[in-house]
Amino acid sequence: MPQTHRTQVAIVGAGPAGLLLSHLLHLAGISSIVLERQTREYIEQRIRAGVLEQHVVELLNDTGLGERLGREGLLHHGIHLNFNDTVHRLDFNQLIGRSITVYGQHEVVKDLVAARLEAGADIRFSVADTAIHQVDTDQPAVSFTHDGDSHTIECGFIAGCDGFHGICRPSIPQDLLRIHERIYPFGWLGILAETTPPSDELIYSSHDDGFALYSMRAADVARLYVQCAPDEDIANWPDDRIWQALGERLGSAGGWSLNKGPIIERGITAMRSFVAEPMQHGRLFLAGDAAHIVPPTGAKGMNLAVADVRILSRALETFFASGDEHRLKDYSARCLARVWQAQRFSWWMTSMLHRFDDNDSYGRRLQLAELEYLTSSKAAARSLAENYTGLPFDEG
Ligand code: RFL
Ligand code: PHB
């Protein structure tokens, strides 16, 4: 039986962007329905980002989502940079008085799903055939199928929070979008392992063999990455090869030791920078990975998704309270100003830390000069600290 529903905002995608938007709108008394093609279990297990900027932590705290984050999140005041057999600590707290929190994206997702469902939210998991309609009118709609039935949501606005491979961005006529893109000649092989992380802060390691990153999820769970080919077959990386590459790239400068442990998750991520402009078409607003992608070296993807939906929820609040559209009209420009700052930072971190062309000794020496400068100049270190811990939200 075809069914029709009505809501103020239809949200496509239950990642951090879609779920947080639904939560923020709820706090402002605005109704929404969230559509997700995966199951609840799947989105709550999907291992992805781990670093929350200080503004993001503050927003989650201020909106009632900070309870488990406060208990289980790991507050970090700095990171390590490891290169040329030397290790340097950048102390964010000392440099700029700010910090970050390590807390898995899937934990944020679990907290959001729990808060939304407790508040009686309408989240539809395992939907299929999602399509958006009439976004250039003031009566847009979303259609989908669920358990074999067809449904239509009539709404005031559609939020496209469906990630890079979603349907919302491709629904915008391609001649209205400008795409800016860079593909990198490498990927990351990431593992989650049951072992003590080598350090209690993140280590970014630039090694002649390639980049490695040592992160964590808990005192006994390490999240580790090694640079690999972009189209790498994971079968080429048996456990021993992963541990050996991680050990070599960590080196001995920090006095750290890397203990092998059972690998409980593994995957390869291609690296890409991508921006679609504008982030709005009629009554469709894109947020998060649906509009932009950064390589993970700067730990910015999830944080940008949060900043977008904070700006969008404020704009929708103004509209529903007074009919004033000026914030909705400014949405794309306001987000993109911040998005481009994060693009620059993520591209710069990626360029500085990875192995590029094997034969380019000049390029390698430039990377090392940049790292030397960064770790010897307070001005340079402050710039990294400011961007890494997060530029201010422009909630305007
Ligand atoms: P998501 O999380 O991809 O969520 C989109 C959701 O939309 C659903 N969907 C649909 N639903 C209904 N109908 C359709 N047609 C649909 N098509 C798609 C999908 O199933 C999904 O549930 O996007 P969102 O919300 O914009 O969030 C973005 C973040 O997930 C992403 O930017 C980060 O994970 C990136 N990232 C990092 N970000 C950080 O801020 N800090 C980090 O430390 C960090 N590390 C990382 C990362 C991403 C990584 N990978 C795997 C790419 C480390 C890695 C390795
Ligand atoms: C992670 O913990 O997964 C992580 C941390 C920092 C990054 C990317 C990923 O830059």
Side-chain angles (χ1 to χ4, degrees), residues 81-377:
L81 290 175
N82 189 20
F83 59 95
N84 244 357
D85 289 323
T86 53
V87 57
H88 302 262
R89 178 165 185 269
L90 296 187
D91 188 326
F92 299 152
N93 200 35
Q94 215 171 60
L95 287 161
I96 55 162
R98 300 185 71 75
S99 58
I100 50 144
T101 297
V102 175
Y103 189 65
Q105 176 171 325
H106 67 293
E107 307 293 357
V108 176
V109 164
K110 276 189 218 162
D111 295 344
L112 278 163
V113 170
R116 292 308 297 120
L117 292 180
E118 201 181 301
D122 190 348
I123 309 179
R124 313 271 168 121
F125 293 102
S126 308
V127 305
D129 309 316
T130 320
I132 62 177
H133 311 277
Q134 299 126 237
V135 295
D136 43 8
T137 73
D138 56 8
Q139 291 177 315
V142 183
S143 60
F144 62 101
T145 56
H146 190 225
D147 285 341
D149 291 330
S150 12
H151 298 254
T152 302
I153 304 175
E154 296 170 355
C155 53
F157 295 90
I158 299 172
C161 302
D162 51 347
F164 187 65
H165 300 288
I167 53 102
C168 289
R169 189 184 66 253
S171 308
I172 299 177
Q174 293 308 291
D175 56 333
L176 298 183
L177 275 187
R178 269 201 82 183
I179 304 295
H180 309 272
E181 189 169 26
R182 178 153 302 183
I183 311 258
Y184 298 87
F186 39 75
W188 279 13
L189 188 162
I191 63 166
L192 199 62
E194 285 173 352
T195 181
T196 312
S199 154
D200 53 12
E201 288 179 334
L202 272 64
I203 308 165
Y204 286 84
S205 199
S206 172
H207 189 275
D208 288 346
D209 290 348
F211 171 75
L213 170 62
Y214 305 80
S215 182
M216 70 278 304
R217 289 294 178 271
D220 52 359
V221 182
R223 177 72 170 146
L224 307 166
Y225 299 95
V226 277
Q227 177 179 348
C228 63
D231 51 356
E232 186 68 82
D233 179 354
I234 203 152
N236 292 333
W237 285 81
D239 291 13
D240 281 350
R241 182 175 174 202
I242 297 175
W243 288 113
Q244 193 183 345
L246 283 166
E248 279 168 11
R249 296 179 196 187
L250 181 65
S252 54
W256 298 300
S257 62
L258 185 70
N259 300 313
K260 293 182 192 176
I263 297 178
I264 49 182
E265 205 263 354
R266 68 185 78 212
I268 289 180
T269 305
M271 307 275 276
R272 173 197 299 271
S273 298
F274 177 97
V275 182
E277 291 181 333
M279 289 170 57
Q280 177 216 352
H281 172 56
R283 292 261 176 144
L284 169 67
F285 291 79
L286 302 177
D289 278 15
H292 42 73
I293 294 283
V294 282
T297 331
K300 287 282 158 258
M302 172 172 47
N303 293 297
L304 277 180
V306 169
D308 287 353
V309 299
R310 172 78 283 188
I311 294 169
L312 183 54
S313 71
R314 289 280 192 230
L316 289 166
E317 264 174 63
T318 303
F319 175 81
F320 283 115
S322 64
D324 178 352
E325 292 189 19
H326 86 274
R327 281 181 162 182
L328 287 171
K329 291 208 167 99
D330 285 353
Y331 169 75
S332 177
R334 196 158 246 167
C335 289
L336 285 166
R338 202 167 181 285
V339 164
W340 278 108
Q341 289 304 316
Q343 289 286 340
R344 185 204 68 79
F345 178 68
S346 304
W347 159 83
W348 173 73
M349 287 282 280
T350 303
S351 308
M352 177 173 67
L353 291 166
H354 288 77
R355 173 173 166 161
F356 280 76
D357 184 342
D358 293 353
N359 298 315
D360 182 11
S361 67
Y362 181 81
R364 179 64 183 145
R365 295 305 280 262
L366 280 184
Q367 288 180 324
L368 293 172
E370 178 105 50
L371 284 160
E372 289 290 356
Y373 176 56
L374 193 57
T375 50
S376 58
S377 154

